[in-house]
Amino acid sequence: MTRSTRQRERTRETDETEDQEGVRACPECESDNLVKDSDRGELICEDCGLVVEEEKIDPGPEWRAFNHQERQEKSRVGAPTTQTMHDKGLTTTIDWKDKDAYGRSISSKKRSQMHRLRKWQERIRTKDAGERNLQFALSEIDRMASALGVPRSVREVASVIYRRALKEDLIRGRSIEGVATSALYAACRKEGIPRSLEEISEVSRVERKEIGRTYRYISQELGLEMRPVDPKKYVPRFCSELELSEEVQTKANEIIEKTAEKGLLSGKSPTGYAAAAIYAASLLCNEKKTQREVADVAQVTEVTIRNRYQEQIEAMGIHG
């Protein structure tokens, strides 16, 4: 018997939930493959079809919504707390709609009063210079993260790193922008979404040299365990920008793996190493790109690509 998609949506019970409810296995066939049918409030064995429990209490909201807009309108809770805002998103804001609770427009006298209230609300959100600086730093992290196109998780990690640096008093004597940029660079590495110092410095208001120096200092002081960046993580992005095929991407990863096993990667820039492997792979797969094109995408020099390329083809036993 077929059921509608909504009715067939079932969520597998976690071990924790099963332990709380006291049901670990089906009493009929002793299978632990139990699923929950939220529509009927039943716990069912997926193997033999036995209804193990019925009339279960639904812990969800009492209202129903069929799309995102309805959910937003009916929800009575705010957004979750976040480290990317100086107050963690816990303060209130006064809406700019200039309407009352019934959706009616308010009078001009009330509008000017609300304008003054909003102005003071913005002012009192930061109680001192320290909070204002934190607000500025976190907005800088958000701006740079948007420009780099990194996910929300990286912004959260960068904000946590900056807050830790602030707590340990590592910002004294350094620019707020420099520490914020270094925190973002560290977060990118920690989350496995590598961005080179050149890419970071392009969206920052700080020079590359200062970013590198500040990054080394805060990572050492905060004990951030950073593994060397794997050049293979740059390959998909560089290949996409160069409009190269999957075949070239696979070949480039193969070159990196084989040459890294022979110790060629030690002490080399991961971006330059990845760029050289992509250049070599493009030649081997007859999708030739010039050294200049690859160098521009990877933000390295043509000399770096030539040197790494020669080392890689020699290690692979290919005669160019």
Side-chain angles (χ1 to χ4, degrees):
M1 184 177 176
T2 58
R3 300 178 185 176
S4 67
T5 308
R6 188 174 62 83
Q7 285 176 325
R8 283 190 282 105
E9 278 182 4
R10 295 166 172 179
T11 52
R12 192 169 298 281
E13 293 281 287
T14 59
D15 291 337
E16 185 184 348
T17 310
E18 287 169 7
D19 288 344
Q20 288 172 354
E21 294 173 352
V23 179
R24 293 167 182 260
C26 171
E28 188 73 29
C29 65
E30 297 185 353
S31 167
D32 59 356
N33 197 11
L34 304 178
V35 291
K36 182 170 67 178
D37 188 336
S38 301
D39 290 343
R40 289 185 168 80
E42 295 173 346
L43 186 66
I44 305 162
C45 173
E46 202 167 45
D47 292 344
C48 69
L50 179 74
V51 177
V52 180
E53 280 193 7
E54 56 187 343
E55 296 181 5
K56 288 166 64 67
I57 295 170
D58 182 6
E62 80 286 359
W63 44 262
R64 289 198 303 170
F66 300 98
N67 57 44
H68 179 70
Q69 188 179 346
E70 281 188 20
R71 257 193 305 277
Q72 292 291 94
E73 286 172 358
K74 291 183 177 182
S75 177
R76 295 189 293 271
V77 295
T81 57
T82 173
Q83 297 289 337
T84 59
M85 296 175 74
H86 76 284
D87 51 20
K88 299 185 181 177
L90 293 172
T91 57
T92 54
T93 53
I94 300 172
D95 199 7
W96 288 90
K97 289 179 182 174
D98 285 334
K99 291 185 178 181
D100 63 14
Y102 299 101
R104 295 190 295 253
S105 294
I106 57 176
S107 65
S108 58
K109 186 180 177 183
K110 281 283 182 187
R111 273 201 295 272
S112 60
Q113 186 184 357
M114 295 306 293
H115 178 70
R116 288 195 300 274
L117 281 171
R118 284 191 201 100
K119 193 187 289 182
W120 278 106
Q121 170 71 6
E122 283 298 311
R123 287 175 182 173
I124 64 173
R125 279 185 74 187
T126 50
K127 62 183 180 185
D128 53 31
E131 277 201 5
R132 278 194 297 277
N133 289 343
L134 177 61
Q135 187 179 31
F136 170 67
L138 296 178
S139 66
E140 273 294 285
I141 288 171
D142 202 52
R143 179 188 66 78
M144 291 184 288
S146 295
L148 289 167
V150 294
R152 188 85 192 165
S153 60
V154 174
R155 303 176 197 205
E156 290 282 349
V157 172
S159 302
V160 170
I161 291 170
Y162 184 87
R163 285 174 186 273
R164 284 184 61 195
L166 183 65
K167 191 177 178 182
E168 298 290 328
D169 202 24
L170 304 180
I171 297 165
R172 193 182 298 276
R174 288 170 180 79
S175 70
I176 293 169
E177 293 101 323
V179 179
T181 310
S182 304
L184 181 60
Y185 177 63
C188 286
R189 287 190 62 170
K190 255 196 169 321
E191 291 294 289
I193 303 167
R195 293 289 185 269
S196 65
L197 277 172
E198 287 77 13
E199 288 174 289
I200 297 279
S201 62
E202 273 187 3
V203 299
S204 173
R205 299 189 176 104
V206 187
E207 289 183 5
R208 181 188 181 282
K209 197 173 180 181
E210 188 187 335
I211 298 167
R213 188 167 57 238
T214 309
Y215 162 71
R216 284 190 294 273
Y217 174 70
I218 66 167
S219 62
Q220 186 180 351
E221 291 296 317
L222 295 177
L224 303 176
E225 293 179 6
M226 294 292 182
R227 292 184 177 182
V229 177
D230 186 353
K232 286 193 289 184
K233 290 188 175 176
Y234 289 105
V235 171
R237 188 155 52 93
F238 291 170
C239 283
S240 175
E241 288 181 40
L242 288 163
E243 296 180 349
L244 291 166
S245 66
E246 282 283 331
E247 186 188 356
V248 175
Q249 191 173 315
T250 306
K251 192 68 180 174
N253 284 329
E254 187 187 320
I255 291 168
I256 291 169
E257 281 176 14
K258 287 185 177 178
T259 54
E261 283 172 9
K262 296 182 180 180
L264 260 68
L265 182 54
S266 180
K268 307 291 193 305
S269 162
T271 47
Y273 204 85
I278 290 167
Y279 175 68
S282 70
L283 295 179
L284 293 168
C285 297
N286 295 318
E287 294 184 38
K288 192 177 187 305
K289 293 286 178 183
T290 64
Q291 289 179 1
R292 177 78 266 158
E293 286 176 307
V294 181
D296 286 344
V297 166
Q299 294 182 319
V300 294
T301 63
E302 290 174 67
V303 176
T304 301
I305 290 180
R306 276 197 293 275
N307 291 341
R308 297 294 87 79
Y309 168 69
Q310 287 297 331
E311 291 167 3
Q312 287 172 359
I313 61 168
E314 282 173 21
M316 295 279 288
I318 303 167
H319 300 289

